[in-house]
Amino acid sequence: MIGRTIILDHLNGREAAALMVDGKLDDLLISTDAPAPGTIYRAIADRPIKGQGGMFLRTPDGAAFLRQIKGMAPGDELLVQVTGYADEGKAIPVQNRVLFKSRYVIVTPNAPGINVSRSIRDDERREEILAVVHDTVENVPHGIIMRSSCEHADAEDIADDLLSMLGLADQVLNDDGTGGEKLVEGDKPHLLAWRDWVEPAEIITEDGGFETHAVLDAIDALESPRFELGGGAFAYVEPTRALVAVDVNTGKDTSMTAGTKANFALAKGLPRELRLRGLGGQIVLDLAPMPKKDRRGFESALKAALRNDSIETVFVGWTPLGHVELQRKRARLPLVELLK
C-alpha cells in the first residue's frame, strides 16, 4: 500500500503544503504574492487588441487579458476568473467563465445540469450521490459537477460542501457593486491541499513538518536542473525566457537500447518534475537517440503520464529535428522565484 503524507507548513514565511508518496516528494504548493488561479474580479474593459482578438482589463491587482471577446467595449464591467500566472511584465490571464470549485463540488454558472464524475463507475454509488444533491437543493439555476472525491465521502460532508459553493456562487453573481473589485480570493496552499489531494493520507500540521519529513531536502534537490532517470540516465530541465528545455542523457550506458530506456523513463517522470518546479509554457524535449520505430510507444507513454497529472499539458508534436514540443498551463510560479 502506498504511504501518503500531507504536510502543512510554511516555507520562507509563505504558506506551503507538500504531498509525500512513499517518502518521495510528489507535489508542492507554495503561496505567492501574485493573484492565485481561481481569484474572481469585477473587472473593467480597458482596450481591445484586435490582432489577438482579446481585451485588456483593469483589476485591483493590475492589468488582465481576456481572449476571444465578443460585444465588449471599453468601460464595460464583467466577472472574470484568474486561470494561471502571468510571465514577468505581462497581464494576468483570465477567463469570463467563472467556476466555483471545492473538494466535492464544482458549480458552473450558465451551464445548468447535474453531472457526476465519470471516474465514479459504480452505478449504485452514482445514484446515491445524485440523491444527496436532490435531497439538499432543488431548482438550482447553476450547473453542478460532483467530483470523483464524492465516491467515498459522507453524504453530510457532500451536502455541506454543495451548499457552501452554491452560496458563494449566488453571492458573487448577485453582487450589485460597481467598479473594479476582487470578489473571491484564490485558494491558498492549505485549502488547495484539502480540495485536491483527496486520497487517504496522514496529515501533519505541526510547525517544522517540512524539516522532520524530509521536504526541505527534496526542495534543495529541486534547485539543481538535473534529475535522475534511473539506470545511470539523467536529464536537465532548464527554463529560458522563451521556453523550458529538457535534455535527456543516457550516462554511461552505451547499449543499443540506452536511449529508448532513458526516454521512456523521462516520459514517466517528467510531469512530476515540471509540477514540483512550477514550470509551464512551451516545453521542448531534446531526447536521447532512439529508433524512429520507438517514437509511437514513447508518445503513448508520455501522453498517459500527462493525463494523470493535475496540470493540463498538450502534446503538440515532433519537430523536424526530432524534438518533442509540449504546451503546459502556467498553473504555478517557478519554484526558483519562490525560494528567493
Side-chain angles (χ1 to χ4, degrees):
M1 183 175 180
I2 295 177
R4 296 170 61 89
T5 306
I6 295 172
I7 305 102
L8 308 180
D9 202 351
H10 290 77
L11 185 67
N12 296 340
R14 299 177 182 272
E15 182 176 301
L19 173 63
M20 302 290 285
V21 178
D22 282 344
K24 185 176 182 180
L25 183 62
D26 190 74
D27 207 350
L28 179 67
L29 304 170
I30 305 173
S31 64
T32 76
D33 297 327
T39 298
I40 298 176
Y41 297 108
R42 186 191 316 112
I44 312 298
D46 193 3
R47 56 187 176 89
I49 306 297
K50 295 181 179 179
Q52 300 182 35
M55 175 80 76
F56 279 110
L57 314 172
R58 298 194 304 273
T59 79
D61 292 320
F65 184 71
L66 175 66
R67 296 184 181 276
Q68 299 176 340
I69 60 166
K70 288 185 179 180
M72 190 185 307
D76 288 349
E77 296 184 357
L78 70 159
L79 291 179
V80 295
Q81 188 167 42
V82 177
T83 59
Y85 290 100
D87 287 337
E88 184 178 356
K90 294 187 178 181
I92 305 166
V94 297
Q95 63 181 15
N96 57 358
R97 183 173 61 92
V98 299
L99 303 173
F100 300 87
K101 184 175 181 180
S102 189
R103 184 179 177 94
Y104 302 116
V105 177
I106 301 175
V107 174
T108 59
N110 302 317
I114 301 173
N115 296 283
V116 178
S117 169
R118 286 178 292 183
S119 66
I120 301 177
R121 299 182 179 180
D122 185 315
D123 290 338
E124 183 176 344
R125 181 54 182 160
R126 293 175 66 88
E127 290 299 324
E128 291 173 351
I129 294 169
L130 287 172
V132 173
V133 177
H134 292 302
D135 290 344
T136 304
V137 295
E138 57 183 28
N139 300 323
V140 178
H142 315 305
I144 297 172
I145 299 173
M146 308 306 293
R147 302 184 66 195
S148 60
S149 52
C150 293
E151 185 166 14
H152 304 293
D154 292 336
E156 184 176 350
D157 291 338
I158 295 173
D160 288 346
D161 204 28
L162 174 59
L163 290 173
S164 176
M165 285 298 99
L166 288 172
L168 179 61
D170 287 338
Q171 177 185 333
V172 171
L173 298 173
N174 296 325
D175 183 87
D176 58 1
T178 58
E181 184 179 350
K182 182 187 292 183
L183 301 178
V184 175
E185 188 92 40
D187 291 339
K188 292 187 176 181
H190 292 180
L191 185 55
L192 270 177
W194 172 82
R195 191 188 83 181
D196 292 338
W197 298 344
V198 297
E199 295 183 34
E202 179 186 8
I203 311 295
I204 305 298
T205 59
E206 292 83 3
D207 289 343
F210 276 9
E211 182 175 3
T212 57
H213 287 76
V215 176
L216 295 183
D217 292 337
I219 291 173
D220 287 343
L222 291 168
E223 294 190 61
S224 168
R226 174 169 167 159
F227 63 97
E228 303 302 318
L229 298 174
F234 57 92
Y236 286 92
V237 54
E238 297 175 294
T240 71
R241 289 189 64 87
L243 52 84
V244 176
V246 181
D247 178 39
V248 183
N249 298 269
T250 60
K252 295 181 180 180
D253 188 349
T254 58
S255 66
M256 294 290 291
T257 60
T260 299
K261 290 188 293 185
N263 293 336
F264 274 72
L266 176 83
K268 181 179 179 181
L270 182 63
R272 171 183 174 274
E273 291 296 330
L274 295 176
R275 185 170 66 244
L276 292 176
R277 297 167 189 269
L279 298 177
Q282 298 178 66
I283 316 287
V284 177
L285 312 183
D286 182 11
L287 301 174
M290 71 177 175
K292 283 191 175 181
K293 65 180 179 65
D294 291 334
R295 285 188 176 184
R296 180 172 295 181
F298 168 81
E299 184 176 328
S300 297
L302 179 57
K303 287 180 177 178
L306 293 174
R307 281 195 298 270
N308 291 326
D309 189 29
S310 59
I311 300 174
E312 180 183 357
T313 305
V314 176
F315 184 99
V316 178
W318 298 83
T319 73
L321 290 175
H323 297 153
V324 171
E325 294 181 321
L326 309 174
Q327 183 66 42
R328 185 174 176 86
K329 185 176 181 179
R330 296 184 187 277
R332 301 178 184 179
L333 286 178
L335 178 64
V336 292
E337 293 187 15
L338 301 177
L339 297 180
K340 293 178 180 176

